[in-house]
Structures are given as C-alpha cells and as structure tokens.
Amino acid sequence: MKLPVYLDNNATTPCDPRVLEVMIPYFSDIFGNAASRNHSFGWQAEEAVEYGREQVAGLIGAEDKEIVFTSGATEAVNLAIKGVFEMYASKGNHIISVTSEHKAVLDTCKHIERLGAQITYLQVKADGLIDLNELHDAITPQTILIATMYANNETGVVQPVAEISKIARKHGILLFSDATQAVGKIAVDVNKDGIDLMAFSAHKLYGPKGVGALYVRRKDPRVRLTAQMDGGGHERGMRSGTLNVPGIVGFGKACALCLNEMKNEGDRLESLRDKLENGLIKIGGIHINGNVQQRLPHVTNLCFEEVDGNNLLVSIAKNIAVSSGSACTSASPEPSHVLKAMGLNDQRAHSSIRFALGRFTAEEQIDYAIDHINKVVLELREWNQFIGAK
Ligand SMILES: *Cc1c(COP(=O)(O)O)cnc(C)c1O
C-alpha cells in the first residue's frame, strides 16, 4: 500500500500520467508561441491550444469561443467579478455573494467594495446551502451580478445553481459561479445550469498547476468584461499574455479524461467516501458538517468531538494527509470561515477535518485511514480526559 495516504484532493490533485504524457512535447519540440501567425511553429502551438479549448469547453457544455484561459481559478474569479463590476458600472454597483465562498471570491469582493461596489453577503443555513428566498429578497434594481460557488471546497456541499439561475434570469442579473471543485467531478453544464460566467482550474481535476479558465457566455445574454490584464489582446481581448501551451494541452486532456470517467469514478469514490465516513463515525462523537444529500461524492467534513483538529492533523500527518479546510488560509489559526458561516462555534470548527478522496485513492488506503484515525482519536480523547481529571 502507498503511504502516506493523500486525502487532500480539494487542495490539489496529482497530474494524471496520461495528462503529463501529452504535455511533454510542448515544452521543447513544439515550443511555438500560439500567437505567432507567420510560421509553422506558431500554427502548431495554436492548433494544440484550440484542441485543448475544445476539450475544456466539451466538459462543461460550452462553445470553444466561450473559454478564456487564465493562470488558474483565482485569476478567473478576479477577471469575472472585477471585469463585470467595471463593465456594467452604468447599470449598477450591487453584487450578491455568500459568506461561505472561497477567499478568491470574498477577497475580490472586498477589493471592489473599496472601489464603490455594494456587496450583500448571504448567510448559509446550518447545512451549508443558501436560502433562495433570502437571495430573492437581496436583489435590488442596482444588482448586476450574483456570485455563488458550485460546490464548497471545505464541505463539498453543492448549491442549487440551476434554481439560483432562474432567479437571476428573471431579474436580468448575471450569474457567476466558482465551480473549481465541481467541474470534472460532477456533471456541470453551463446551459442546463444557466451559468453566465464560471471559473475552474486544471490542478483540481488531475491537470497541471498554473492554468485555469473563465467561461464567458456569448449569447442569451452576451456577457462583456473589462480585461484585468492589458497587453497583446489575447483571448478575445479578455486576457492578454502569451498562452501557456503545455498547460492548456494538459488541461484539455484532463478535462477529456474527467468527461469519460466521471460516472464510474464518482460512484467508486462515493462508496469509498461512505466507507470512510461510516468507519470513523462508528466510534461515536463524530458529526458530518454540511448537507449529506447535496454534496460532492468524494468529500466529507467531519467534526470530532473532544479532539482539537490541529492535534489530530499533526498526529496523523506522517501517514495521512488531510486538512482542516482551505489550504490558502491554513497559515492562519482562525477557525474555518465556512464552518463558522454554517453556525459552528469556534470549538466545533477547530475540531473539524476535511477528507477529500481522489482518482488515485485505493480502498486499502481507506481501510488503513479508518483504523489509524480511530486509534489516534481515541488516544487524543483519553489524553483529554486524563488532563481534565488532573
Ligand atoms: C482551489 C480553489 C480556488 C483557487 O484555484 P487556483 O487555480 O489554485 O487559483 C478557487 N476556488 C475554489 C472553490 C477552489 O477550490
């Protein structure tokens, strides 16, 4: 069995060897600049980029021309929110988002608040879902954008995006979704879901780091954006800068693999996740954070009563890689803003751990994780009682 066991696939995923293989020639042999129009080096690179674009678009039911390549989801989020805020300034300055969003969204919102944006942050219910009535009530004539994530990175909870879209459409408001955790894992279709802008990233779906995309709807309605990067006018003027050709080739291949394997892989991971969850819960004093029906198949977030999450992480870190939430904020001792948004107190939030399985998770690793974590949790609890008794 492979140790340590990696159960932090929401932070990043390994690049699939099949993805790496198709990327390699584009670092050296086929090294052209996709914007070079005058020779075969450029044409070959451009052809590879356009094939990648087709594969990326294909995974989410989009047209090729609706894909804007970026350096990752963070950049795509910034481009979407800042780009809409600037472009639609004459229509209004109000944006609706949610307290449990990723920091990429929350910090971008904070940034434009300083530039005059009005942001309403919707609360989530105890199960992590937003209340559609509250969304409806938050809309004003100034509202230009609703920004709600597809699936939460800490809990895996999946928002009712298609329902949210109906409300947005009825009021002529654009819908942006940070779908970084959902794309490639569950069926995401920009038309069925009624999404106007959507951010996602290669390294969360077994592709390389440093490449992502923003989906930008081209009709019904045609979405316009102010570019956030000025330069050569690449990507239909929305994102200047020489394209990351090997990255885009890998992103495309990763998307094609996800599309092919999603159904089987989702079922496999769901049964492994359930096995892990049941195996841990049976020792008692463990709760699942978030809605258990509407969630990603490979994620669970568990609260271990009477255990400090950080102690648990440290105690198992040599053999099992998990996290207490978003990797981007793990430097801070603050409890997870996502769990706090769901109403958990600091202690419960500090006692919670995220488990995210992935394509390379094997059943024997889950068996091992159950035994090992149960042992450590019981030891930590005993120690707590010993300390408490003294
Ligand atoms: C990982 C993640 C991001 C950031 O993606 P990068 O490609 O690393 O910039 C944004 N949103 C969510 C929900 C994520 O999980």
Side-chain angles (χ1 to χ4, degrees):
M1 182 183 57
K2 204 174 158 210
L3 282 179
V5 179
Y6 185 70
L7 297 177
D8 202 13
N9 285 279
N10 283 13
T12 194
T13 57
C15 199
D16 190 299
R18 295 169 292 179
V19 169
L20 180 62
E21 193 189 326
V22 298
M23 290 172 67
I24 285 173
Y26 292 92
F27 287 102
S28 50
D29 292 343
I30 318 173
F31 62 85
N33 184 326
S36 296
R37 288 282 147 78
N38 306 315
H39 49 69
S40 63
F41 296 84
W43 304 331
Q44 269 188 304
E46 192 194 11
E47 195 182 323
V49 165
E50 292 317 312
Y51 185 56
R53 199 185 301 281
E54 209 178 293
Q55 291 175 306
V56 170
L59 178 59
I60 59 166
E63 301 288 328
D64 301 356
K65 287 178 181 169
E66 295 177 314
I67 301 298
V68 175
F69 286 118
T70 65
S71 63
T74 300
E75 188 193 333
V77 166
N78 273 263
L79 175 56
I81 295 176
K82 293 175 182 172
V84 165
F85 172 65
E86 283 185 39
M87 184 57 85
Y88 293 85
S90 62
K91 190 168 174 249
N93 68 342
H94 181 236
I95 291 173
I96 300 171
S97 193
V98 184
T99 51
S100 60
E101 290 290 308
H102 191 274
K103 289 286 178 189
V105 169
L106 293 177
D107 288 353
T108 302
C109 286
K110 253 187 237 160
H111 182 98
I112 60 169
E113 271 182 294
R114 293 193 292 268
L115 304 175
Q118 294 274 337
I119 317 265
T120 301
Y121 298 95
L122 300 176
Q123 305 285 335
V124 292
K125 297 179 284 185
D127 65 358
L129 293 172
I130 66 166
D131 182 330
L132 294 175
N133 292 321
E134 269 177 40
L135 170 64
H136 191 272
D137 292 345
I139 292 170
T140 77
Q142 303 299 313
T143 310
I144 52 173
L145 183 70
I146 296 171
T148 54
M149 70 201 320
Y150 207 111
N152 188 273
N153 47 303
E154 294 190 25
T155 60
V157 169
V158 175
Q159 296 292 347
V161 178
E163 305 286 310
I164 294 168
S165 168
K166 279 187 203 134
I167 296 171
R169 288 272 153 100
K170 204 173 98 194
H171 293 86
I173 299 166
L174 296 176
L175 174 60
F176 163 67
S177 189
D178 175 357
T180 311
Q181 294 291 349
V183 171
K185 315 296 167 59
I186 56 174
V188 172
D189 184 302
V190 289
N191 292 313
K192 284 190 197 128
D193 295 327
I195 294 169
D196 299 310
L197 300 118
M198 185 171 84
F200 53 113
S201 188
H203 78 97
K204 300 283 176 85
L205 46 80
Y206 311 97
K209 292 170 183 58
V211 60
L214 181 66
Y215 160 79
V216 184
R217 179 172 290 283
R218 272 169 63 88
K219 61 174 197 289
D220 309 315
R222 183 185 184 92
V223 177
R224 291 174 316 130
L225 282 181
T226 303
Q228 299 300 305
M229 192 89 82
D230 297 307
H234 308 73
E235 297 298 89
R236 305 182 170 273
M238 285 186 265
R239 202 279 192 176
S240 287
T242 299
L243 288 173
N244 172 1
V245 179
I248 290 166
V249 166
F251 191 11
K253 178 69 179 179
C255 287
L257 292 173
C258 284
L259 187 62
N260 274 335
E261 298 170 9
M262 187 182 299
K263 178 74 182 81
N264 287 339
E265 187 58 4
D267 291 348
R268 184 184 79 90
L269 290 178
E270 183 162 32
S271 77
L272 282 185
R273 188 269 317 271
D274 291 348
K275 183 176 195 183
L276 173 68
E277 208 168 65
N278 294 329
L280 295 176
I281 285 176
K282 70 170 191 276
I283 66 169
I286 295 172
H287 315 276
I288 303 170
N289 294 318
N291 189 297
V292 293
Q293 267 92 45
Q294 289 180 243
R295 62 170 168 166
L296 296 172
H298 60 287
V299 183
T300 184
N301 189 305
L302 298 177
C303 173
F304 296 80
E305 272 178 28
E306 292 166 66
V307 174
D308 179 79
N310 214 42
N311 281 349
L312 179 55
L313 288 184
V314 171
S315 308
I316 63 173
K318 222 180 105 213
N319 302 309
I320 302 173
V322 287
S323 111
S324 58
S326 159
C328 320
T329 49
S330 59
S332 79
E334 287 289 298
S336 150
H337 76 279
V338 172
L339 299 178
K340 293 208 72 178
M342 291 160 62
L344 272 76
N345 62 26
D346 281 13
Q347 196 193 352
R348 280 248 164 147
H350 273 306
S351 300
S352 296
I353 304 276
R354 170 183 77 185
F355 299 86
L357 287 63
R359 187 177 286 168
F360 302 100
T361 308
E363 178 153 23
E364 54 184 1
Q365 292 181 311
I366 293 300
D367 293 332
Y368 172 83
I370 294 168
D371 289 345
H372 190 62
I373 294 168
N374 282 348
K375 191 171 122 265
V376 172
V377 167
L378 293 175
E379 278 168 10
L380 289 172
R381 284 182 180 163
E382 258 173 48
W383 178 247
N384 274 349
Q385 281 181 351
F386 172 69
I387 297 285
K390 275 184 99 173

